[in-house]
Amino acid sequence: MKFSIKLVLWTMVLMAFTLGLSGFYFVNYVFETSLAREIDQALDENSILRFAFETAALNVPVKYGVLQDGTVEQIASNLETGGQDARRLLRLSDEEKNVLYVSDGFEADSGLLEETGQEVRAYRVISQGDGYYIQTGSCLNALDRMLYLETMKDVSGVFRERAMGYSVYRRMTILMLALGVVIMNFIAAWLTKPIRHLTRATKEMAAGDYGYRAKKVSGDELGQLTQDFNHMAEALEDNIGKLEEEIQAREDFVGAFAHELKTPLTSIIGYADMLRSRKLDEEKSFLSANYIYTEGKRLETMSLRLLDIIVTRRGEAEFARVQTAGLSDYLHSMFVPNEEMEFCYSFEPGVIWADPDLIKTVLINLLDNACKASEPGGRIEVTGKRTQEGYRLTVTDYGVGIPGEEQSKITKAFYMVDKSRSRSRNGAGLGLALCAEILALHQSRLEIESAPGRGSSIGFVIREAGKEESHEKSSS
């Protein structure tokens, strides 16, 4: 059952209960008020008749000072017909409660008479035939006789009004419920509109349309729920996009890795088969063996860098205080100026907070890439200086440069701007990918400035040891 139908049904049940209870209370209150007024009037009428009877008895000449039964009947008859109310019914009884006079139509039993005493007035509401009456009883004294006067007042109109009130209220209740159903259908449709939008959005997203968003149509809690749902959908879409990108990246990685293995392995197998199956002169044998060695070293370098990337992604780093002068000395020993390349080093004194082996790996890879991008006799500059952000290390070459559209891709594994040039120098497109992973551990990143034909400047910023300690204190 739909929520809107449940809302309408429960509202109608509540309305029916409320209207029924309030209607019963209201009609019954009016009835009891009217009945109490009629009872008061009946008692007053009984008192008036009693006074009239006693007054009439005093004015009737009697023998021996005793009121005779015939006189009682005569006075009662006059009282019955002397009033303006044609419905007046009365009954007179003697001291023994034997009936002396009774009006036609007075058919009530003597139950009330048993409750009536000299100082007690009694009344009751009785049903007689198709009507309702108020029966009253009182005691009167007439010439030393104690008589009992009973009257009956027709109050059928009050009961008919109550029945009519119930009937009218039932019809009004039914009408109000019918109108309520119509109105509540519109209200329920309006209130549940955000829910319908959310339901449609979930179905669309379940069908694969992750870009679908629910329309916000209210500013209440349901509107807030719609907004939160859309935020969740955006986060879900972003996560799915990232997962798809990661899957695609893995597929590209596997494809590139397989391709990078294929070329050197094909050459190695070919030259090895040539050495094995043919008798070559000394020069060709040397060239073949040298090519096998070169391609083997290339495969070794590629496997080591892949291993370094995997280890780095696991976050295995040991941070310590590293003197920048030690980095400068290490690079001097690794890359010595020669006829093919000119190296220039310029390091400001400083202490950085880093994993020394990993930072050396980054610098070696950057210098190795700079050498591959430079022509023989080219100049490569390595600088280190202190800045407000930290200690900046930069490797600059004046070689082929990197096009602007390629700069955001060169940190991906196996990506090479110039594949033929890179392969000719034992490149596999893993150096900068490894650098990016290592710097991510150090909460840093590569900053690339390059232009085709003008060279490249690739650097990064590492926090200094003192700043790192203050950063840790502020974090704690």
Side-chain angles (χ1 to χ4, degrees):
M1 184 181 293
K2 291 184 177 180
F3 177 74
S4 58
I5 298 178
K6 290 183 180 180
L7 182 63
V8 172
L9 288 179
W10 278 109
T11 303
M12 291 303 101
V13 170
L14 183 60
M15 283 183 62
F17 177 77
T18 305
L19 291 174
L21 186 63
S22 60
F24 173 81
Y25 174 78
F26 176 73
V27 174
N28 201 57
Y29 173 78
V30 173
F31 166 75
E32 290 180 353
T33 302
S34 300
L35 186 61
R37 184 173 61 251
E38 294 292 337
I39 291 172
D40 291 338
Q41 292 179 358
L43 291 173
D44 291 340
E45 183 179 353
N46 182 283
S47 299
I48 292 171
L49 289 175
R50 184 182 64 181
F51 178 75
F53 187 92
E54 291 175 348
T55 302
L58 292 175
N59 294 328
V60 175
V62 295
K63 295 181 180 181
Y64 310 110
V66 178
L67 188 63
Q68 301 298 318
D69 291 344
T71 304
V72 171
E73 294 178 5
Q74 184 179 358
I75 296 173
S77 178
N78 291 335
L79 291 176
E80 179 184 356
T81 59
Q84 297 178 355
D85 190 354
R87 294 178 298 169
R88 179 180 294 172
L89 300 174
L90 56 87
R91 182 169 65 182
L92 277 169
S93 303
D94 60 12
E95 293 85 346
E96 302 300 328
K97 299 185 179 179
N98 297 316
V99 176
L100 298 177
Y101 180 84
V102 61
S103 301
D104 292 337
F106 197 115
E107 299 176 359
D109 57 27
S110 60
L112 183 68
L113 190 60
E114 299 298 330
E115 300 176 7
T116 305
Q118 188 173 358
E119 301 295 335
V120 178
R121 289 195 304 171
Y123 74 90
R124 66 179 179 176
V125 180
I126 62 173
S127 173
Q128 185 173 302
D130 295 333
Y132 291 88
Y133 297 85
I134 298 175
Q135 181 184 0
T136 63
S138 64
C139 184
L140 59 87
N141 292 314
L143 297 178
D144 295 332
R145 289 194 69 177
M146 187 175 69
L147 304 176
Y148 294 95
L149 173 65
E150 295 175 88
T151 63
M152 289 184 64
K153 180 177 176 62
D154 188 359
V155 291
S156 300
V158 176
F159 284 86
R160 285 195 295 271
E161 289 176 358
R162 183 179 68 170
M164 185 180 296
Y166 283 143
S167 177
V168 171
Y169 211 86
R170 280 195 297 270
R171 291 196 293 270
M172 289 299 299
T173 300
I174 293 173
L175 179 61
M176 292 295 293
L177 289 177
L179 290 175
V181 169
V182 175
I183 295 173
M184 278 304 302
N185 271 324
F186 287 104
I187 295 176
W190 176 68
L191 289 176
T192 58
K193 190 175 182 180
I195 299 178
R196 293 198 300 274
H197 283 297
L198 286 173
T199 302
R200 182 178 178 184
T202 55
K203 290 181 179 179
E204 292 291 338
M205 294 184 67
D209 186 5
Y210 300 110
Y212 189 88
R213 297 292 179 269
K215 183 179 179 182
K216 183 179 179 182
V217 295
S218 64
D220 54 10
E221 291 83 356
L222 289 176
Q224 183 63 41
L225 177 62
T226 301
Q227 187 174 350
D228 293 341
F229 177 86
N230 288 336
H231 289 163
M232 180 194 70
E234 290 175 1
L236 179 62
E237 185 180 14
D238 292 340
N239 290 334
I240 292 175
K242 291 178 181 178
L243 288 175
E244 291 177 348
E245 290 178 0
E246 185 176 348
I247 292 173
Q248 185 62 42
R250 290 182 180 180
E251 291 178 353
D252 293 343
F253 180 87
V254 172
F257 181 68
H259 181 75
E260 289 297 325
L261 285 177
K262 180 181 178 181
T263 302
L265 285 176
T266 301
S267 300
I268 290 172
I269 292 172
Y271 280 102
D273 184 63
M274 186 183 298
L275 289 173
R276 159 182 93 141
S277 60
R278 298 181 187 179
K279 192 171 184 179
L280 303 176
D281 56 33
E282 183 178 354
E283 181 180 359
K284 289 183 179 180
S285 297
F286 175 79
L287 291 174
S288 298
N290 183 66
Y291 196 90
I292 292 173
Y293 174 79
T294 303
E295 292 299 306
K297 292 296 290 183
R298 181 164 173 260
L299 287 176
E300 181 187 29
T301 302
M302 183 171 62
S303 63
L304 290 175
R305 286 185 175 175
L306 280 173
L307 182 61
D308 289 339
I309 290 176
I310 293 172
V311 172
T312 303
R313 286 182 177 178
R314 293 175 182 172
E316 299 176 359
E318 296 181 1
F319 291 86
R321 296 167 64 90
V322 180
Q323 298 285 342
T324 58
L327 291 178
S328 177
D329 294 340
Y330 176 78
L331 293 177
H332 270 92
S333 63
M334 292 293 295
F335 295 88
V336 181
N338 51 52
E339 295 179 355
E340 293 186 358
M341 204 67 61
E342 179 184 357
F343 296 95
C344 299
Y345 300 96
S346 175
F347 280 76
E348 291 183 1
V351 181
I352 60 175
W353 182 256
D355 185 310
D357 294 332
L358 293 180
I359 289 299
K360 290 176 182 177
T361 300
V362 172
L363 292 171
I364 289 173
N365 278 281
L366 291 180
L367 278 165
D368 185 50
N369 280 353
C371 292
K372 293 174 182 177
S374 301
E375 298 296 334
R379 176 185 175 89
I380 297 175
E381 299 174 355
V382 184
T383 60
K385 61 180 180 179
R386 302 178 65 183
T387 64
Q388 291 183 350
E389 295 83 9
Y391 197 89
R392 181 180 295 276
L393 292 163
T394 307
V395 177
T396 304
D397 67 73
Y398 300 91
V400 295
I402 306 171
E405 64 273 11
E406 305 285 345
Q407 293 180 15
S408 60
K409 305 175 184 178
I410 60 174
T411 56
K412 294 181 180 179
F414 295 112
Y415 187 85
M416 293 176 283
V417 178
D418 188 345
K419 298 184 184 297
S420 61
R421 183 183 183 92
S422 298
R423 287 199 181 97
S424 67
R425 303 198 178 188
N426 292 332
L430 294 173
L432 291 181
L434 177 59
C435 293
E437 295 291 341
I438 293 174
L439 292 177
L441 280 178
H442 290 78
Q443 298 180 3
S444 183
R445 61 185 179 85
L446 289 176
E447 298 175 359
I448 303 171
E449 295 180 3
S450 182
R454 299 177 60 184
S456 304
S457 178
I458 303 178
F460 58 91
V461 177
I462 296 294
R463 279 198 295 267
E464 295 186 76
K467 293 183 179 180
E468 173 62 29
E469 293 170 359
S470 63
H471 174 74
E472 291 180 351
K473 290 180 181 180
S474 62
S475 299
S476 61

